[in-house]
Amino acid sequence: MELFVHDSPADVAARTASLIAESIADKSGPFSLGLAGGSSPKPTYDRLREIDVAWQGVHAWLGDERWVPHDSDRSNGRMASDSLFSHVSASLVRPDYGDDPEAAASAYEQELGEIEAMAGRHDIVILGLGDDGHTASLFPGSAALAESDRRYVANRIPETGEIRLTATYPLLHEAARVIFIVTGRSKAEALEASLAGETPAGKVGQGRATVEWHVDRDAASLLS
Ligand code: 6PG
């Protein structure tokens, strides 16, 4: 696990965008890129639009997705598409939305398996951090935390009852590289606990993946 503290959210975005672009340039052949939702990664996606990247070989997908229609302004897939993927030649694979979240998660798990087989691995997975220590939609106290076999499941958030689709530890632990993007003072307590391995996000580091935390000074304000 490596921690990188940057002066500002803009510096986090600039550095993570260039890391991702460099990684894509360094690999010949298909590249698997898992995307975080929420607001933290959006500046990175915006910066990636300004960089000349060989997008045609990139297969992007969603580390998690809210159970909402594709055109909902709460959709992670819509945010990723609007900010970057509708502007570049990469493919963005999104889960189907319909009557059955479990069936959608299972179908998406199959699609991600095909991407992983084509690329040889999930090259990079971008993740965010909730102020309760969740990442993707692996929320504290939720059933998906205990999933040891399936790589993508429907998960109910205990606090709200909301259903989301999410990658599980079996997927995240097998990725080549995980890049966390964490900014803002509201994340400081969750970051401190995560780096100590005490949150769902912190447990991402228990697998084979190389895990990098790219944070700003506000998020790092409680770290000694
Ligand atoms: C989501 C995300 C979620 C997010 C954290 C942080 O669907 O919202 O996947 O895991 O990364 O909740 O969200 P912010 O970046 O908006 O603070």
Side-chain angles (χ1 to χ4, degrees):
M1 183 276 288
E2 287 187 275
L3 173 67
F4 301 90
V5 182
H6 305 276
D7 286 338
S8 69
D11 290 337
V12 171
R15 184 65 190 129
T16 51
S18 61
L19 276 177
I20 293 162
E22 286 160 15
S23 188
I24 293 169
D26 290 347
K27 185 179 181 195
S28 58
F31 189 98
S32 173
L33 178 61
L35 304 173
S39 57
S40 300
K42 190 174 180 308
T44 298
Y45 303 156
D46 292 340
R47 288 300 296 259
L48 277 166
R49 274 179 65 181
E50 301 160 7
I51 301 174
D52 184 19
V53 175
W55 287 110
Q56 62 278 9
V58 174
H59 299 267
W61 46 275
L62 300 167
D64 72 319
E65 180 59 288
R66 293 87 179 271
W67 189 241
V68 295
H70 273 196
D71 60 355
S72 165
D73 58 11
R74 293 195 62 241
S75 165
N76 289 333
R78 179 176 169 187
M79 181 273 286
S81 179
D82 290 351
S83 50
L84 176 56
F85 290 92
S86 59
H87 306 276
V88 297
S89 60
S91 84
L92 172 61
V93 177
R94 298 172 64 176
D96 289 337
Y97 173 71
D99 301 330
D100 183 351
E102 282 289 355
S106 180
Y108 201 53
E109 180 184 27
Q110 294 298 319
E111 288 187 275
L112 298 189
E114 289 162 15
I115 290 173
E116 186 178 16
M118 191 169 35
R121 60 190 184 181
H122 290 310
D123 295 282
I124 289 181
V125 183
I126 303 167
L127 290 175
L129 177 66
D131 55 14
D132 61 357
H134 80 263
T135 193
S137 284
L138 297 170
F139 282 79
S142 67
L145 294 175
E147 179 58 52
S148 58
D149 179 42
R150 301 248 338 262
R151 294 185 156 216
Y152 218 91
V153 297
N155 195 31
R156 181 179 298 279
I157 303 177
E159 266 190 35
T160 62
E162 180 194 359
I163 295 289
R164 295 196 180 183
L165 306 186
T166 186
T168 60
Y169 291 125
L171 186 155
L172 298 173
H173 285 168
E174 287 302 309
R177 190 173 176 193
V178 170
I179 293 178
F180 277 97
I181 296 175
V182 186
T183 59
R185 174 65 187 79
S186 68
K187 304 295 175 75
E189 287 80 5
L191 178 62
E192 183 183 37
S194 297
L195 295 180
E198 295 162 1
T199 66
K203 289 180 172 47
V204 171
Q206 292 174 0
R208 290 189 335 163
T210 300
V211 178
E212 299 172 22
W213 292 82
H214 288 269
V215 309
D216 72 344
R217 293 209 176 286
D218 285 346
S221 56
L222 297 180
L223 304 183
S224 50

